[in-house]
Amino acid sequence: MTQTPRLYERAALGDNWFDALWDIRDGRTYFTGPLYYNASHQHGAPVFLAGLYGKFRLRLHGGDWLWCRTAIIPAGVLHELDVGGEPITVLYIEPTIAGADAFKPLINNSRALNGALVGNGGEIRFMRDLYEDRYQPDWTTESLLDLLGYAKRRAQSAVIDPRLTSLIDHLSAHGDDLTPVATWARQAGLSPSRFQHLFTEQIGVPFCCYRSWNRMRQAIREIIRGHSFTTASHATGFTDSAHFSHEFRKTFGAPASIGLQRLARLQL
């Protein structure tokens, strides 16, 4: 009999009852920490998942639960996670940097399933070492950048239309920009429908979904810099902290308090 995941239960790992490591910069979003259950959700960027000390459960598109040690989920693919309170690495890469193929060198013993790639191995020890060294004063993300650079060189990612690249770069610098789609389409010399089609085709999700993801990413960055939920929300175009919390749950399938209530290290 399959047990129902215990929603949002606190992980207990010795004295560090729930600590999380975030690093958001250079076109990547990196989280490592204990999680329990993340309800069905999808992202505006591809994501690499790695269970640091064992397998985790993954469900794609509402299908059957399966056990895996690593996975690559493309942008826009619905999925659920049941990690059981164990630490897991969650690494996103922005579409202007590379696509989901850039993660393939990080996974092995894999198979394709419902648009995703699930595996039983990969770059797990590297991710575990980063997590276990999170309290060291010389902790650095240079090794993470080196790993992504290596993976990207081996991948064959499609070239994105420069008009979309320019737009995404702008949004990355201005997370609170809520300019209507019609305006962006006109500036790109496209009709709104053609703009929407091109964006979804090349990025993997509709423009509104990507912009929401980008705003969420920027808001989290403000929080790990030390700002309150309210200040971070206002700085990135959310109405208030309740609006941010609602969108966080929608984006990640769990409350904002799960990943942001205790931070092992603040990376800017």
Side-chain angles (χ1 to χ4, degrees):
M1 179 177 178
T2 302
Q3 292 184 341
T4 301
R6 291 169 289 179
L7 303 185
Y8 320 128
E9 192 167 331
R10 182 180 296 168
L13 295 177
D15 294 334
N16 300 328
W17 56 268
F18 195 103
D19 49 2
L21 178 64
W22 285 92
D23 187 8
I24 302 178
R25 52 182 160 177
D26 301 324
R28 70 177 183 275
T29 302
Y30 170 80
F31 167 86
T32 295
L35 292 179
Y36 256 85
Y37 173 70
N38 290 62
S40 183
H41 61 289
Q42 59 183 346
H43 300 299
V47 59
F48 168 73
L49 304 169
L52 300 189
Y53 300 100
K55 292 183 177 182
F56 58 92
R57 294 206 306 158
L58 172 69
R59 180 155 69 175
L60 298 161
H61 295 294
D64 295 330
W65 285 99
L66 57 97
W67 289 96
C68 58
R69 190 70 188 272
T70 53
I72 299 171
I73 314 292
V77 173
L78 285 167
H79 59 287
E80 295 174 67
L81 292 174
D82 178 15
V83 189
E86 294 294 323
I88 185 172
T89 284
V90 185
L91 175 61
Y92 308 87
I93 190 168
E94 293 305 296
T96 52
I97 304 300
D101 284 350
F103 287 137
K104 287 184 178 179
L106 308 183
I107 188 173
N108 58 39
N109 297 323
S110 64
R111 62 188 175 99
L113 181 66
N114 294 335
L117 198 65
V118 297
N120 288 317
E123 293 293 339
I124 297 168
R125 181 172 180 175
F126 172 85
M127 300 297 180
R128 186 169 61 237
D129 287 346
L130 282 181
Y131 181 64
E132 292 178 351
D133 289 342
R134 64 196 181 279
Y135 294 113
Q136 299 302 318
D138 59 349
W139 191 94
T140 176
T141 59
E142 289 183 7
S143 53
L144 181 60
L145 286 174
D146 288 343
L147 180 69
L148 286 176
Y150 163 77
K152 182 182 176 182
R153 288 191 295 272
R154 295 188 58 189
Q156 295 182 348
S157 299
V159 177
I160 297 176
D161 188 299
R163 293 170 293 186
L164 299 186
T165 299
S166 177
L167 170 56
I168 290 172
D169 287 343
H170 170 82
L171 292 177
S172 295
H174 305 279
D176 60 343
D177 192 324
L178 300 178
T179 301
V181 171
T183 301
W184 291 121
R186 184 168 59 253
Q187 291 183 7
L190 300 169
S191 67
S193 60
R194 175 57 188 158
F195 173 84
Q196 293 276 33
H197 175 80
L198 180 65
F199 196 96
T200 302
E201 179 183 59
Q202 296 206 349
I203 306 305
V205 292
F207 173 73
C208 63
C209 294
Y210 180 78
R211 180 160 61 181
S212 294
W213 160 253
N214 179 70
R215 290 168 61 205
M216 179 59 60
R217 188 171 174 268
Q218 298 297 322
I220 294 172
R221 191 178 186 192
E222 291 300 307
I223 292 170
I224 64 177
R225 281 173 164 171
H227 296 300
S228 69
F229 278 29
T230 298
T231 300
S233 299
H234 290 161
T236 50
F238 293 99
T239 305
D240 51 29
S241 60
H243 182 203
F244 165 76
S245 296
H246 172 80
E247 291 301 313
F248 187 100
R249 186 189 292 263
K250 181 179 176 181
T251 300
F252 297 105
S257 58
I258 290 296
L260 292 170
Q261 64 186 154
R262 175 168 172 169
L263 305 177
R265 181 173 295 276
L266 307 182
Q267 289 296 327
L268 305 181

